[in-house]
Amino acid sequence: MERDYEPSDEDVVRVRTRMMPGVQEHHFWPETGQEVGREWIFYDIGCSRSRRPTWLPYLTDMNAIVFYADISTFDQHLEEEDPSENQFQHSFSVWTKLCKSRLIPKVPLILVLAGCDLFQEKLEQGVPLGEFITWYGDRANDMPTAINYIRDEFLTVARKNSPEPRAVHTYFTNSSDSYTGLVTTTVSSIRESIVGDNPRKLNVIS
């Protein structure tokens, strides 16, 4: 590395400090907007079953939880963990359990429905969503109908299962979206809902 090297925004966002197995820590300092000078810490705890025992220490002092669900995987299965289980349905199940948890009854949730571009491509190619996600039924196999219905189902689960009322923000992203842009959007969402007069260091779990 050159001695005069200066990291780009993308480099800074991708800085990772190894914590315990399966958990990574990301530090982010926005350079524009109201969050200039504020340190944001994102803990990436992963979602595989083998990593879940490491979640607990990170659920006790969080300002928000970011949940990523790749909707383009609706016709795929969990090859490594359980080939018989639908990958997207698995994400939906984890979301339900997360919403029900009494360890984090008031923590705001930020739902990121990812892979929207690939999801649309599959629908346009005629891949039937209802064949893989049975609760979708025989609704129209088009992008507006499908993506709005999926979003509403996630929000309904949060509303019905959260132990206490909480803020839930939803975002749609494409596979081509930059990591920096996604984090910036996330930071903006968290600031709007929870920051207020909170301390200058904020913890976020994803």
Side-chain angles (χ1 to χ4, degrees):
M1 179 180 296
E2 298 295 333
R3 297 180 65 88
D4 59 350
Y5 169 75
E6 293 186 6
S8 64
D9 290 345
E10 193 82 8
D11 293 331
V12 172
V13 171
R14 291 183 178 278
V15 169
R16 298 182 176 182
T17 302
R18 177 66 63 179
M19 302 294 286
M20 62 178 65
V23 178
Q24 295 177 329
E25 180 179 323
H26 308 251
H27 292 253
F28 180 62
W29 292 268
E31 297 183 354
T32 61
Q34 299 181 35
E35 300 309 307
V36 172
R38 187 191 299 269
E39 180 183 13
W40 291 73
I41 303 176
F42 289 77
Y43 296 102
D44 183 353
I45 59 176
C47 192
S48 67
R49 290 187 176 97
S50 62
R51 293 183 180 184
R52 289 176 194 169
T54 69
W55 288 12
L56 187 58
Y58 299 89
L59 295 177
T60 58
D61 187 28
M62 290 295 110
N63 297 100
I65 294 178
V66 183
F67 188 91
Y68 297 89
D70 187 345
I71 61 176
S72 71
T73 62
F74 72 88
D75 60 343
Q76 300 175 30
H77 293 81
L78 297 172
E79 298 297 339
E80 296 183 2
E81 297 183 42
D82 184 357
S84 67
E85 185 170 5
N86 179 279
Q87 190 167 330
F88 174 73
Q89 186 61 50
H90 175 71
S91 296
F92 192 79
S93 176
V94 174
W95 169 259
T96 302
K97 293 176 182 178
L98 177 68
C99 292
K100 289 181 176 180
S101 176
R102 295 189 176 278
L103 293 174
I104 49 171
K106 295 183 178 180
V107 177
L109 302 177
I110 299 174
L111 172 65
V112 179
L113 297 177
C116 292
D117 50 343
L118 300 179
F119 178 72
Q120 182 171 4
E121 287 180 9
K122 289 184 177 181
L123 295 183
E124 292 177 347
Q125 291 169 2
V127 182
L129 179 59
E131 182 177 315
F132 298 94
I133 307 300
T134 55
W135 44 262
Y136 186 71
D138 58 357
R139 293 172 177 81
N141 204 62
D142 61 70
M143 184 65 170
T145 304
I147 201 166
N148 287 325
Y149 185 80
I150 288 174
R151 177 201 59 201
D152 291 346
E153 285 298 297
F154 271 92
L155 294 178
T156 297
V157 166
R159 184 177 67 254
K160 290 184 175 180
N161 293 281
S162 293
E164 299 182 38
R166 71 168 100 207
V168 181
H169 299 268
T170 308
Y171 293 95
F172 301 102
T173 66
N174 295 323
S175 59
S176 59
D177 290 346
S178 72
Y179 190 73
T180 299
L182 179 56
V183 171
T184 301
T185 299
T186 300
V187 166
S188 176
S189 174
I190 297 171
R191 177 177 57 77
E192 291 175 2
S193 62
I194 64 172
V195 172
D197 297 324
N198 283 359
R200 290 181 63 79
K201 180 180 288 188
L202 299 176
N203 295 328
V204 180
I205 195 167
S206 63

